[in-house]
Amino acid sequence: MDIKEDFMPLKPEDRPVLREVCLMKMKAVKSFAVHLVSLLFIFNCMAPPLQAAETLKQPADRVFGDWLVTWLSAEPSTLNPITATDAYSGAIDGLIYESLLKRDENSLENVPILAEKWEISPNHLMYTFHLKKNIKWSDGHPFTVKDILFSFDRIRDPKVDAAHLRSYYQDIEKVEALNDHTVRFYYRIPYFRALEFCGGIPIVPAHLFKEGGDFNQHQIGRKPVGTGPYKLLHWETGKEIALVRNEGYWGEKPALDRIIFKIITDSTVALQVLKQGGLDQMGLRPIQWEKQTQTKRFAENFQKLAYYLPSYNYIGWNCRRPIFSDKRVRRAMTMLVDRELILKRILFGLGTIITGPFYVNSPEYDKNIKPFAYDPKAALALLKSAGWDYRPGEDVLQKDGKPFEFEFLLSAGSKFGEQLATMLQENLKKIGIRMSIQRLEWAVFVQRIEEQNFDACTLGWSLGWETDPYQIWHSSQAVQKGSNFVGFKDAEADQLIEDARKEFDTERRDRMYYRLQEIIHDEQPYTFLFTSEALEAVSRRFMNVKVYPMGLALLYWWTPKEAQKYKGQ
């Protein structure tokens, strides 16, 4: 899952990705124009998925040329697809790197990319992929099974910063090269998302790595080499990351010569740059959507698009901290967050209050669980039952002689996080809780979170189309650089998560998830906030700009020759 505050459009991930709290608003980060319905995928053995007419293809009438200049609200920590954990890296890596298959943006079917076809054994324990031939990395070196084996080994290597990925590959006993263009994955037990993760494994070029080298610090993090339609042109730290079309690309080439990601940490500044023509696309904050982009001139130059994708925002309470180790305290904190008021004042009603870790418009989400209402009186009663009270003549809650005070972390670029923290700070002050606000640059913020060095924070997750909560909620993931950074641990929850992974019947799996949501709701390791619409502004000079079930698909955009703004690569 990804985190963000002010967003650029990102597609749903195969796994949760961190987003800043921009309120998913624009992160196209995973929103969806229509409510998701149950996604039931049937995988047939011995055959690739059907490439129906609705599968996306490059427009036959596209005109080559021009650039797309889009916005990043924070700088990626790395472009190594195995160690990257944030949505910013994912937005760029998705244009550079490819895997064996992908979920089509329109049909939602798994379609072949680097694989020509695949086979699944009847017992769901063997997955065999036949690779396309004559595919090369952008440096000209051939792509082979060796790259897949190397990448798998790196994911499984405990020295590699890939804890977020390892949980999805832990039940694979071995990966075997049958020949240079055939690879087989052997599972120890069945896993309902096995095809998606075997086929979607992040792959790096093995020939660029030396044995014994530090994978985490390898130059590929700054100088990526992929098989995809674009390759890195330059990365100017703090300014921009520029991609250029890969003219040696094996597949259908995209029309746009370049895609430029401008790094602008302030969304207010980004909007001004957009209006002045320095950006072609950006994700808007709710106030920008409602109040700052309503002029006739803006409408003439940009189209505005709103859609939902699976994602949500939350406040995370570090359960390892003594102050938040009691679920009564965590529940009281949730009851001191006025979500209705936040939704109205900050988000202009453009969102839905949620109660659990699944996408609110999916069948996995239990709508029978209702959010705890804003109720300071009931919250205070809970805090007193947990041992917090006032000393005579004082107005600060204390326990064992220590005041109730903590630090709230947020990303410095998050406008929503700033407003949320300010409102929460005022609410807590009224009841006798001292909350300090610490604003950190994105990279430092993520480091603090991964090291579990925080009291409370606000973030967001971008989800997949089918959800496996293991990465975020299983107790084994409450480790350094693991995604369960709040330290949630529950034996029944662990068992439900493990059993659900082996269940291929969606209705039975959903019932397990309903019980899991009941446990999480009772424990309140998160105060779940909102699922919000992605709000996008896109220059009208681009053609074929459509909202698909997985959001926008800029690889298929083009501009007429007379409208092209930038000339040459």
Side-chain angles (χ1 to χ4, degrees):
M1 304 178 180
D2 297 342
I3 300 171
K4 273 199 285 205
E5 204 248 26
D6 300 320
F7 303 158
M8 56 159 295
L10 297 178
K11 297 175 184 175
E13 304 286 340
D14 53 4
R15 57 180 173 79
V17 184
L18 274 184
R19 291 177 23 254
E20 244 182 336
V21 176
C22 211
L23 242 209
M24 258 158 227
K25 215 54 268 204
M26 270 305 62
K27 198 168 198 184
V29 46
K30 303 167 176 215
S31 293
F32 203 61
V34 251
H35 289 177
L36 269 184
V37 294
S38 178
L39 301 178
L40 304 177
F41 301 104
I42 302 173
F43 303 120
N44 297 315
C45 297
M46 299 301 294
L50 295 176
Q51 296 195 54
E54 66 271 16
T55 297
L56 287 188
K57 296 181 182 296
Q58 287 293 347
D61 60 347
R62 70 191 187 282
V63 176
F64 283 78
D66 210 1
W67 305 355
L68 170 69
V69 184
T70 189
W71 172 53
L72 281 183
S73 61
E75 191 150 18
S77 54
T78 178
L79 292 180
N80 182 329
I82 289 177
T83 59
T85 60
D86 59 68
Y88 309 103
S89 302
I92 298 169
D93 280 344
L95 300 169
I96 296 173
Y97 290 98
E98 296 175 310
S99 194
L100 305 177
L101 58 77
K102 74 166 187 175
R103 197 179 296 280
D104 183 75
E105 294 92 337
N106 189 39
S107 70
L108 298 181
E109 295 284 346
N110 283 311
V111 297
I113 301 298
L114 298 179
E116 192 170 53
K117 63 179 181 178
W118 55 81
E119 302 152 9
I120 306 173
S121 66
N123 62 1
H124 297 281
L125 294 179
M126 285 194 307
Y127 294 78
T128 305
F129 294 87
H130 302 272
L131 308 187
K132 293 175 179 174
K133 297 177 181 177
N134 301 317
I135 291 179
K136 295 182 178 181
W137 295 96
S138 60
D139 64 358
H141 198 280
F143 164 73
T144 71
V145 166
K146 292 179 182 178
D147 300 308
I148 300 171
L149 299 182
F150 175 81
S151 300
F152 175 76
D153 288 342
R154 299 290 72 71
I155 291 171
R156 293 286 292 267
D157 185 347
K159 297 189 297 295
V160 171
D161 293 339
H164 59 290
L165 284 176
R166 271 192 284 277
S167 65
Y168 296 103
Y169 297 93
Q170 64 185 18
D171 293 322
I172 296 177
E173 290 184 321
K174 67 174 181 176
V175 180
E176 180 183 18
L178 304 186
N179 55 53
D180 279 352
H181 290 89
T182 308
V183 63
R184 179 173 291 163
F185 295 78
Y186 295 85
Y187 270 79
R188 178 176 57 86
I189 56 177
Y191 176 36
F192 82 101
R193 295 188 69 190
L195 176 62
E196 193 168 0
F197 278 97
C198 290
I201 184 172
I203 305 171
V204 295
H207 67 278
L208 293 181
F209 294 84
K210 295 180 180 179
E211 187 174 352
D214 187 342
F215 184 84
N216 299 321
Q217 300 301 319
H218 192 274
Q219 66 175 3
I220 202 169
R222 293 284 300 193
K223 298 177 180 179
V225 174
T227 62
Y230 285 91
K231 59 184 181 180
L232 182 72
L233 180 64
H234 63 251
W235 181 346
E236 296 182 31
T237 302
K239 294 182 179 180
E240 68 178 34
I241 297 174
L243 306 184
V244 63
R245 187 175 53 242
N246 178 7
E247 296 300 341
Y249 183 53
W250 62 270
E252 287 187 314
K253 293 182 178 64
L256 298 174
D257 290 340
R258 294 187 187 184
I259 299 177
I260 311 296
F261 294 86
K262 291 284 187 182
I263 301 166
I264 306 173
T265 57
D266 189 315
S267 62
T268 301
V269 174
L271 181 58
Q272 291 305 312
V273 175
L274 180 80
K275 290 180 176 180
Q276 293 165 7
L279 289 173
D280 299 315
Q281 175 199 16
M282 72 172 283
L284 303 176
R285 293 167 51 220
I287 191 171
Q288 293 172 328
W289 176 274
E290 289 288 326
K291 304 292 185 181
Q292 299 169 7
T293 55
Q294 299 289 6
T295 65
K296 180 180 178 181
R297 180 181 178 185
F298 191 89
E300 289 173 348
N301 293 321
F302 299 94
Q303 59 175 312
K304 292 165 66 175
L305 305 164
Y307 52 96
Y308 275 100
L309 290 173
S311 62
Y312 65 83
N313 295 97
Y314 61 92
I315 297 171
W317 311 105
N318 192 341
C319 302
R320 303 174 188 82
R321 295 287 202 253
I323 202 169
F324 295 127
S325 61
D326 191 322
K327 70 179 181 181
R328 291 171 294 181
V329 172
R330 298 193 297 268
R331 183 179 297 184
M333 298 304 289
T334 293
M335 298 169 75
L336 291 169
V337 180
D338 193 342
R339 287 176 284 189
E340 293 284 358
L341 186 62
I342 293 168
L343 181 62
K344 180 180 179 180
R345 287 190 179 178
I346 302 179
L347 300 182
F348 295 86
L350 298 172
T352 301
I353 295 173
I354 60 167
T355 62
F358 297 90
Y359 178 46
V360 68
N361 293 320
S362 77
E364 300 165 329
Y365 184 87
D366 188 353
K367 290 183 169 60
N368 293 317
I369 298 176
K370 304 304 178 185
F372 291 114
Y374 175 65
D375 191 340
K377 183 180 290 187
L380 181 58
L382 274 174
L383 291 170
K384 287 185 175 182
S385 72
W388 294 93
D389 211 337
Y390 306 102
R391 284 183 176 180
E394 297 185 5
D395 58 2
V396 176
L397 287 170
Q398 298 190 26
K399 181 180 180 180
D400 300 329
K402 296 181 180 179
F404 196 139
E405 55 187 16
F406 69 96
E407 182 182 71
F408 190 88
L409 287 193
L410 57 89
S411 170
S414 173
K415 297 290 186 181
F416 170 79
E418 184 75 40
Q419 292 171 297
L420 169 69
T422 301
M423 291 180 69
L424 179 59
Q425 186 181 52
E426 287 300 313
N427 289 346
L428 297 181
K429 183 178 180 181
K430 293 174 185 176
I431 207 172
I433 297 174
R434 296 170 180 164
M435 184 186 98
S436 61
I437 301 173
Q438 177 75 336
R439 304 160 185 83
L440 299 172
E441 292 302 316
W442 177 247
V444 179
F445 173 81
V446 171
Q447 182 179 356
R448 286 277 300 271
I449 297 301
E450 290 181 339
E451 292 174 351
Q452 303 159 7
N453 182 19
F454 70 98
D455 298 326
C457 66
T458 182
L459 279 173
W461 285 117
S462 294
L463 307 174
W465 295 104
E466 290 182 297
T467 302
D468 176 5
Y470 194 103
Q471 176 189 337
I472 301 173
W473 298 106
H474 196 276
S475 61
S476 66
Q477 304 305 296
V479 295
Q480 287 276 317
K481 298 195 175 182
S483 297
N484 184 358
F485 42 75
V486 296
F488 170 74
K489 295 183 179 182
D490 184 273
E492 184 183 357
D494 282 353
Q495 192 62 55
L496 287 165
I497 292 169
E498 292 166 15
D499 290 345
R501 293 187 123 198
K502 297 176 285 188
E503 182 55 70
F504 285 75
D505 184 283
T506 56
E507 290 186 4
R508 286 200 290 266
R509 191 167 64 242
D510 288 348
R511 287 196 291 272
M512 296 178 191
Y513 287 160
Y514 290 170
R515 175 56 189 151
L516 175 63
Q517 287 169 84
E518 289 175 353
I519 294 170
I520 293 174
H521 183 67
D522 180 64
E523 292 288 336
Q524 287 294 292
Y526 283 6
T527 294
F528 292 94
L529 297 174
F530 315 100
T531 286
S532 307
E533 289 178 272
L535 308 174
E536 290 291 328
V538 181
S539 170
R540 290 194 179 276
R541 81 174 190 276
F542 294 96
M543 300 292 103
N544 203 38
V545 178
K546 301 176 183 178
V547 175
Y548 299 101
M550 287 179 65
L552 303 179
L554 58 83
L555 273 178
Y556 304 92
W557 296 3
W558 59 277
T559 55
K561 184 66 69 175
E562 66 275 9
Q564 292 183 5
K565 183 176 180 179
Y566 303 96
K567 306 298 182 183
Q569 286 199 326

Short mmCIF file of all heavy atoms in Angstrom, two decimals, residues 116 179 205 244 350 436 452 518 546 560:
data_model
loop_
_atom_site.label_atom_id
_atom_site.label_comp_id
_atom_site.label_asym_id
_atom_site.label_seq_id
_atom_site.Cartn_x
_atom_site.Cartn_y
_atom_site.Cartn_z
N GLU A 116 4.46 -15.52 -22.21
CA GLU A 116 3.62 -15.79 -23.38
C GLU A 116 2.35 -16.52 -22.96
O GLU A 116 1.26 -16.27 -23.46
CB GLU A 116 4.41 -16.64 -24.37
CG GLU A 116 3.79 -16.76 -25.73
CD GLU A 116 4.76 -17.41 -26.71
OE1 GLU A 116 5.27 -18.51 -26.40
OE2 GLU A 116 5.03 -16.81 -27.76
N ASN A 179 14.12 -24.20 -18.59
CA ASN A 179 15.06 -23.86 -19.66
C ASN A 179 15.20 -22.34 -19.62
O ASN A 179 14.69 -21.69 -18.70
CB ASN A 179 14.60 -24.38 -21.03
CG ASN A 179 13.19 -23.91 -21.39
OD1 ASN A 179 12.90 -22.71 -21.35
ND2 ASN A 179 12.32 -24.85 -21.73
N PRO A 205 17.50 -6.78 -13.50
CA PRO A 205 18.48 -7.42 -14.39
C PRO A 205 19.65 -8.02 -13.60
O PRO A 205 20.49 -7.28 -13.07
CB PRO A 205 18.93 -6.28 -15.30
CG PRO A 205 18.67 -5.04 -14.52
CD PRO A 205 17.49 -5.31 -13.65
N VAL A 244 12.30 8.78 -20.75
CA VAL A 244 12.23 8.91 -22.20
C VAL A 244 11.77 7.58 -22.78
O VAL A 244 12.06 6.51 -22.22
CB VAL A 244 13.61 9.33 -22.77
CG1 VAL A 244 14.66 8.24 -22.51
CG2 VAL A 244 13.51 9.64 -24.25
N LEU A 350 -16.15 14.97 0.27
CA LEU A 350 -15.70 14.10 -0.82
C LEU A 350 -14.99 12.86 -0.27
O LEU A 350 -13.79 12.65 -0.47
CB LEU A 350 -14.77 14.87 -1.75
CG LEU A 350 -15.40 16.08 -2.44
CD1 LEU A 350 -14.35 16.88 -3.19
CD2 LEU A 350 -16.51 15.65 -3.39
N SER A 436 2.09 16.86 20.77
CA SER A 436 2.98 17.70 19.97
C SER A 436 2.97 17.19 18.54
O SER A 436 2.76 16.00 18.29
CB SER A 436 4.40 17.68 20.53
OG SER A 436 4.94 16.38 20.51
N GLN A 452 9.85 1.95 13.64
CA GLN A 452 8.85 1.91 14.73
C GLN A 452 9.14 2.96 15.79
O GLN A 452 8.74 2.82 16.94
CB GLN A 452 8.81 0.51 15.33
CG GLN A 452 8.51 -0.58 14.32
CD GLN A 452 8.94 -1.95 14.75
OE1 GLN A 452 9.37 -2.17 15.87
NE2 GLN A 452 8.82 -2.92 13.85
N GLU A 518 -13.92 -7.45 12.88
CA GLU A 518 -14.49 -7.30 14.23
C GLU A 518 -13.37 -7.20 15.27
O GLU A 518 -13.44 -6.38 16.19
CB GLU A 518 -15.39 -8.50 14.55
CG GLU A 518 -16.69 -8.52 13.77
CD GLU A 518 -17.49 -9.80 14.04
OE1 GLU A 518 -16.96 -10.70 14.73
OE2 GLU A 518 -18.64 -9.89 13.56
N LYS A 546 -9.08 8.64 -20.36
CA LYS A 546 -10.30 7.99 -19.90
C LYS A 546 -10.09 7.44 -18.49
O LYS A 546 -8.97 7.10 -18.11
CB LYS A 546 -10.68 6.84 -20.84
CG LYS A 546 -10.91 7.26 -22.29
CD LYS A 546 -11.18 6.04 -23.16
CE LYS A 546 -11.34 6.44 -24.63
NZ LYS A 546 -11.55 5.25 -25.50
N PRO A 560 -2.44 15.52 -30.59
CA PRO A 560 -2.39 15.83 -32.04
C PRO A 560 -1.15 16.68 -32.35
O PRO A 560 -0.69 17.44 -31.50
CB PRO A 560 -3.68 16.61 -32.26
CG PRO A 560 -4.57 16.26 -31.11
CD PRO A 560 -3.66 16.03 -29.95
#
